[in-house]
């Protein structure tokens, strides 16, 4: 399939609440994929469970709608098995940073070439508005009977600390910016993370579009802001800057790229130095049997490969 | 005349090289044509607690079971003698370190308190003191030959000759006990050297030093050479695989075409993944075998779900785990069932519940495997009775998973995982790789096409094809659908595939009968009880009871028809079930699935393997009395 001219919109009816920030994200995904000319059959969107988890059904590329919190493990298996695929994960804040937080951290450590897109709405949308891991302490959104008793985790800080090599934030209704960030994240080689501020019109009456519209500002407007690590020695200082910048929240909320580091090896590169033939010969492309169903390993090869475990009997005469 | 079959124990502290002794000895024995099976028993501990190798050797075949009492106890320390002295048969031999003769059982902190007082009580009852010297006296009184040697002297001499750092001397104790065992069994030094060479491979110095140790042992124990001489081997194999159950399953996975293995470290499964990592890619005669991506994930949830992801990309994938890890995987198994994703879960059972007996064996997860995960969907559970079966069953597991597009649980256990055996090389001419891949029909692809129970499966990445998967109920395209008519068709499709498995998998892959039908009893079991069950059936025949062993290999779908046929032919009367569990749950599964009532049950749940002597006795008891339930518990 050719990317150009393909409509990335599937014919599944989009059942999000009218006005939901997810619509902005979906539109940006269509545009980014079109700009990247992605081949739908070589592209996979992997999602978790939540309102956000439904996104793959609305897009005309392969879609894998997985379990709550587990999109990253599924994506990891898909990508490692077939490194030719473009793999993009979509998940909610509960999904990626609550139940799936361990996987979120692990992907950073691996720096596998996957994009993770966080639908950050501060609530558990699909289960009707409970506090999510990004909702600040003491916040009381309308569905909560009591103010939030747990602190929020800062997704950008966590991503940088975990080892993601592309870390950015955008806002669901900042269409062009969001599209560009997604394009850059897909182009980046290594684990990329995009935190998208996503108003939930139904359950989050604090972090609304009015709230964000007044506060978000673009990092790329600041000529002094340079998030790119150009040599390994710069890594720590750039990380610290990204972390410091990510702590900015309140009257002004930065969006844009916080951190990019292409000096870290990707998981694919690490594998390829170990497996040699990888990624050219990979799990999906390699042969396991002949046409007549016989295994690649025949009796002769078996003895050669496993010679360490074979004892040739030599009885005493 | 020597011994055609013999069993022995090598014991010592964990981390002191016992395993090396087992590796060397089993290779040396295999080299000279003997069959060996050796079980490794150890605490959940890295260094210091008592561990031992229980080995059976045969000049006729690969032994199938372990038995007590043993002919030979080779001890590294006093604790081993205190723990196992009662296991030596009269006329047997104890080899020990003279330097620890004065050690008292009450002075050994690594012995668990309850065991220590039991041993002290036993010694008192025998009128013996609490020191090792007294135990030696008891043994001699029972006709056991006790052979002592000063380990210190041997090691000091070695240290001087090779200029070894005194702190690393303890690693040569393994060489002392290996050599003395070899000497007593009548193995020659060349065979022993072969064992050292195979195990130490490139480390020539270690070989030289161990051979030096062997020479010292030979000099010192000359008069005992061949005291327990094995018969000249009658085995027919010219080449054997000497491998653990973990190794064999890993080898089979490579043959089966595995391309993705995920795991989170857990005993006794992790060694399988280690092995796979070592052999992740090979090039032989210009052909690349692999590559297998072996990944250590952050937890078992990621292990199963990433394996399912790899499966969606069209590759054979699996994960290996044990009880605690399996419990974490269950939601993923439900997703695989819902999405008709082939995946193999190699499940090595250990003693539960919870962390239970982390390094000991069990078969207590049968029902938990058969009924794991919410919702109803097709899933297959296979088991294997021994190393060679495990090889073929591993291939079968992948074939079934792919042909029927469902998760397969290959239910093994610690006994198989950690025991080393000499096994014939598998016959690869028998192996077929059946993937069930059908051409994708033209037109818009429907992953869950309802035209047949098995829909054409295209991997993610197939050019020109796109598809969707979801854990929600879905339509033929894989999009969410809650429409009742579709629900009924999809839901039924996923369950009814199991009928195909039941109808199409050949009967002897599901259930195997050993022995002549029409006898007095039918012993039924599954998995690693096979070897000991077969031996017990033979043994009890000598006492006048003729029976069969029924090995249930496919546990789910339960081979109802096959079992009923066997029982129809052999009579429903004396059916006895045996299992490493409290419940002997195979009997309940048979009741549920086949309507067969099995009252007589033999249970063992100490975490130690069922041995021949205790099973034969228990079987006799169930056959000669109206006792229905026998619980056995031998072994330290
Ligand atoms: C294991 C498990 N626990 C709980 C749920 C119920 N559940 C469905 S969606 C959801 C939370 C969704 O919140 P979030 O991930 O933030 O996604 P959103 O709906 O906000 O996009 C929960 C808890 C589930 N599906 N699976
Ligand atoms: S509940 Fe919130 S997040 Fe979910 S669809 Fe509605 S507005 Fe969007
Ligand atoms: Mg949310």
């Amino acid at each position: 399939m050719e990317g150009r001219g393909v409509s990335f919109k599937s014919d599944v009816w989009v059942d999000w609440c009218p006005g939901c920030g997810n619509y902005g994200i979906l539109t940006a995904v269509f545009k980014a994929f079109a700009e990247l000319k992605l081949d739908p059959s070589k592209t996979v969107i992997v999602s978790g469970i939540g309102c956000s988890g439904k996104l793959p059904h609305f897009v005309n590329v392969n879609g894998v709608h997985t379990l709550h919190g587990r999109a990253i493990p599924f994506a990891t298996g898909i990508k490692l098995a077939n490194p030719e695929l473009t793999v993009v994960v979509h998940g909610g804040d509960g999904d990626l940073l609550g139940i799936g937080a361990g996987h979120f951290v692990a992907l950073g450590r691996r720096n596998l070439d996957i994009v993770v897109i966080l639908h950050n709405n501060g609530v558990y949308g699909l289960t009707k508005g409970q506090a999510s891991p990004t909702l600040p302490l003491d916040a009381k959104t309308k569905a909560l009977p009591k103010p939030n008793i747990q602190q929020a985790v800062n997704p950008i800080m966590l991503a940088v600390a975990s080892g993601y090599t592309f870390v950015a934030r955008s806002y669901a209704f900042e269409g062009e910016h969001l599209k560009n960030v997604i394009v850059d994240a897909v182009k980046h080689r290594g684990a990329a993370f995009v935190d998208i501020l996503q108003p939930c019109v139904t359950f989050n009456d604090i972090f609304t579009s009015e709230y964000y519209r007044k506060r978000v500002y673009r990092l790329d407007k600041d000529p002094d802001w340079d998030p790119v690590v150009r040599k390994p020695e710069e890594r720590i200082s750039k990380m610290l800057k990204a972390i410091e910048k990510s702590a900015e929240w309140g009257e002004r909320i930065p969006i844009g790229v916080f951190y990019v580091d292409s000096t870290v090896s990707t998981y694919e590169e690490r594998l390829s130095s170990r497996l040699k033939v990888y990624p050219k010969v990979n799990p999906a492309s390699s042969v396991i049997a002949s046409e007549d169903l016989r295994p690649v390993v025949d009796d002769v090869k078996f003895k050669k490969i496993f010679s360490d475990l074979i004892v040739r009997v030599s009885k005493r005469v | 005349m020597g011994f055609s079959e013999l069993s022995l124990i090598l014991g010592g502290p964990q981390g002191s090289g016992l395993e090396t002794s087992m590796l060397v000895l089993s290779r040396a024995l295999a080299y000279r044509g003997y069959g060996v099976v050796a079980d490794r028993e150890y605490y959940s501990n890295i260094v210091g607690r008592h561990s031992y190798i229980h080995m059976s050797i045969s000049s006729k075949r690969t032994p199938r079971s372990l038995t007590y009492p043993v002919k030979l106890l080779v001890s590294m320390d006093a604790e081993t003698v205190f723990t196992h002295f009662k296991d030596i048969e009269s006329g047997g031999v104890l080899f020990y370190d003279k330097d620890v003769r004065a050690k008292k059982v009450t002075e050994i902190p690594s012995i668990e308190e309850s065991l220590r007082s039991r041993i002290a009580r036993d010694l008192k009852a025998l009128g013996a003191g609490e020191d090792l010297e007294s135990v030696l006296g008891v043994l001699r009184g029972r006709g056991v030959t006790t052979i002592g040697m000063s380990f210190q002297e041997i090691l000091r001499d070695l240290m001087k000759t090779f200029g070894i750092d005194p702190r690393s001397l303890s690693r040569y104790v393994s060489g002392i006990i290996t050599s003395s065992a070899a000497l007593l069994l009548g193995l020659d030094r060349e065979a022993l050297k072969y064992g050292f060479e195979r195990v130490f491979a490139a480390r020539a110095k270690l070989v030289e030093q161990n051979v030096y140790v062997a020479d010292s042992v030979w000099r010192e124990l000359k008069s005992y050479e061949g005291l327990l001489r094995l018969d000249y081997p009658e085995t027919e194999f010219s080449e054997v695989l000497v491998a653990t159950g973990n190794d064999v399953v890993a080898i089979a996975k490579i043959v089966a075409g595995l391309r993705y293995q995920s795991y989170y470290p857990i005993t006794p499964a992790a060694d399988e993944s280690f092995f796979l990592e070592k052999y992740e890619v090979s090039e032989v005669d210009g052909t690349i075998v692999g590559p297998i991506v072996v990944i250590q994930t952050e937890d078992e949830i990621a292990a199963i779900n990433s394996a399912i992801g790899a499966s969606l990309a069209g590759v054979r994938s699996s994960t290996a785990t044990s009880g605690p890890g399996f419990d974490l995987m269950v939601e993923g198994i439900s997703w695989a069932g819902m999405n008709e994703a082939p995946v193999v879960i190699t499940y090595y059972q250990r003693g539960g519940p919870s962390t239970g007996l982390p390094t000991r064996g069990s078969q207590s997860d049968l029902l938990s495997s058969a009924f794991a995960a919410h919702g109803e969907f097709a899933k297959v559970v296979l088991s294997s009775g021994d190393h060679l079966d495990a090889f073929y069953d591993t291939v079968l597991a992948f074939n079934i998973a792919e042909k029927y597009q469902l998760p397969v649980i290959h239910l093994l256990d610690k006994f198989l995982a950690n025991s080393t055996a000499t096994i014939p090389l598998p016959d690869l001419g028998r192996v077929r790789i059946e993937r069930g891949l059908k051409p994708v029909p033209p037109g818009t692809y429907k992953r869950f096409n309802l035209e047949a129970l098995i829909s054409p499966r295209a991997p993610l990445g197939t050019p020109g094809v796109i598809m969707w998967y979801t854990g929600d109920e879905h339509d033929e395209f894989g999009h969410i659908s809650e429409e009742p008519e579709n629900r009924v068709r999809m839901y039924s499709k996923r369950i009814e595939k199991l009928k195909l498995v039941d109808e199409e998998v050949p009967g002897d892959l599901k259930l195997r009968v050993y022995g002549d039908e029409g006898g007095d009893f039918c012993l039924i079991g599954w998995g690693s009880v096979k070897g000991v069950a077969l031996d017990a059936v033979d043994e009890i025949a000598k006492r006048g009871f003729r029976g069969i062993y029924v090995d249930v290999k496919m546990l789910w779908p339960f081979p109802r028809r096959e079992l009923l046929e066997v029982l129809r032919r052999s009579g429903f009367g004396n059916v006895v079930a045996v299992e490493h569990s409290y419940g002997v749950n195979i009997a309940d599964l048979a009741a549920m699935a086949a309507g067969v009532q099995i009252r007589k049950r033999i249970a063992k749940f100490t975490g130690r393997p069922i041995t021949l002597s205790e099973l034969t006795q228990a079987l006799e008891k169930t056959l000669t009395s109206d006792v229905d339930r026998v619980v056995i518990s031998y072994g330290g």
Side-chain angles (χ1 to χ4, degrees), chain A residues 92-94 119-125 132 198:
Chain A
D93 35 19
H119 296 227
N120 184 352
N121 59 8
V123 293
Y124 280 32
S132 92
Q198 178 236 319

Side-chain angles (χ1 to χ4, degrees), chain B residues 118-132:
Chain B
R118 200 162 72 226
I119 295 169
R121 212 168 46 234
D122 288 351
L123 288 173
K124 203 163 176 189
L126 290 164
E130 287 182 341
D131 58 340
L132 186 60

Side-chain angles (χ1 to χ4, degrees), chain B residues 2-9 29 34-37 54-59 63 65-67 69-73 89 92-93 181 184-186 227-231:
Chain B
F3 298 101
S4 63
E5 303 234 322
L6 181 149
S7 70
L8 61 86
I9 286 177
L29 285 161
Y34 295 100
V36 176
V37 68
H54 190 174
M55 187 184 276
S56 290
I57 307 168
S58 166
S59 62
S65 63
L66 302 165
T67 192
V70 296
K71 272 261 156 11
L72 173 62
L73 174 62
E89 70 177 71
V93 177
L184 290 163
L185 297 173
L227 188 62
L228 298 172
R229 188 176 300 281
L230 295 164
D231 278 344

Side-chain angles (χ1 to χ4, degrees), chain A residues 15-22 51 121 123 125-126 198-203:
Chain A
D15 65 354
W16 288 318
C17 308
C20 173
N22 283 331
C51 298
N121 59 8
V123 293
L126 199 59
Q198 178 236 319
C200 165
V201 289
T202 306
F203 296 114

Side-chain angles (χ1 to χ4, degrees), chain A residues 24-47:
Chain A
I25 300 176
L26 181 63
T27 305
V29 166
F30 291 148
K31 288 185 176 159
F33 283 15
E35 184 172 322
L36 288 160
K37 301 198 179 77
L38 293 181
D39 175 348
S41 67
K42 299 285 180 194
T43 305
V44 190
I45 295 180
V46 186
S47 68

Side-chain angles (χ1 to χ4, degrees), chain A residues 1 10-12 15 39-44 46 49 53-70 72-82 84-85 99 102-104 106-107 109-110 112 267 271 274-278 281-290 292-317, chain B residues 27 30-33 186-188 194 198 229 232-243 247 251 254-257 259-260 275 277-282 284-285 287-299 301-302 305-310 312-313 315-316 331-332 335 391 402 425-429 431-435 460-472 478-480:
Chain A
M1 279 183 197
S10 81
D11 41 22
V12 175
D15 65 354
D39 175 348
S41 67
K42 299 285 180 194
T43 305
V44 190
V46 186
I49 296 292
K54 295 183 180 177
L55 186 137
H57 296 286
F58 309 140
V59 187
N60 245 336
V61 301
N62 291 299
V64 184
H65 180 193
T66 72
L67 293 165
H68 192 34
R70 317 303 170 199
I72 288 175
F74 276 86
T76 301
I78 293 168
K79 180 70 184 179
L80 288 173
N82 187 348
E84 287 173 21
L85 301 176
I99 192 169
H103 310 308
F104 182 82
L107 178 58
R109 292 176 51 216
R110 296 188 184 117
L112 181 66
Y267 199 82
L271 264 186
R274 228 173 76 167
L275 295 170
K276 307 296 180 227
V277 297
Y278 193 89
V281 185
N282 58 56
S285 72
S286 59
V287 178
I288 69 167
S290 64
D292 61 350
L293 311 182
R294 298 194 182 265
V296 169
V297 182
D298 57 16
D299 289 304
V300 177
K301 292 193 190 77
F302 185 94
K303 287 186 194 179
K304 289 187 181 166
I305 298 173
F306 303 115
S307 62
D308 269 4
L309 293 105
I310 296 173
V311 170
R312 189 182 298 275
V313 176
S314 166
K315 292 185 189 173
R316 259 196 294 181
V317 278
Chain B
R27 274 153 188 75
Y31 181 63
R32 286 304 186 216
L187 272 184
D188 56 299
Y194 172 86
R198 289 305 302 264
R229 188 176 300 281
Y232 191 79
E234 293 165 42
T235 52
E236 270 160 22
F237 30 73
S238 60
E239 275 177 314
V240 282
L241 206 55
V242 183
D247 297 340
I251 290 172
I254 293 170
V255 171
R259 289 292 176 268
Y260 185 91
F275 186 102
E277 201 163 314
K278 188 168 166 201
Y279 292 90
E280 58 194 359
V281 64
S282 346
V284 255
D285 307 332
T287 308
I288 293 164
V289 177
I292 303 170
V293 170
V294 181
I295 180 170
Q296 180 184 334
T297 51
E298 55 277 21
D299 55 30
I301 299 175
N305 292 319
S306 70
I308 298 169
L312 302 182
V315 313
R316 288 197 154 186
E331 192 193 14
W335 195 96
F391 178 89
E402 287 208 308
L425 302 196
D427 175 7
L428 298 185
V431 173
R432 294 290 179 280
I433 307 296
E434 295 170 23
R435 308 202 63 184
L460 291 171
T462 305
V465 172
I466 60 174
M467 67 201 79
W468 288 270
Y469 285 97
T470 173
D472 284 28
H479 286 311
I480 300 170

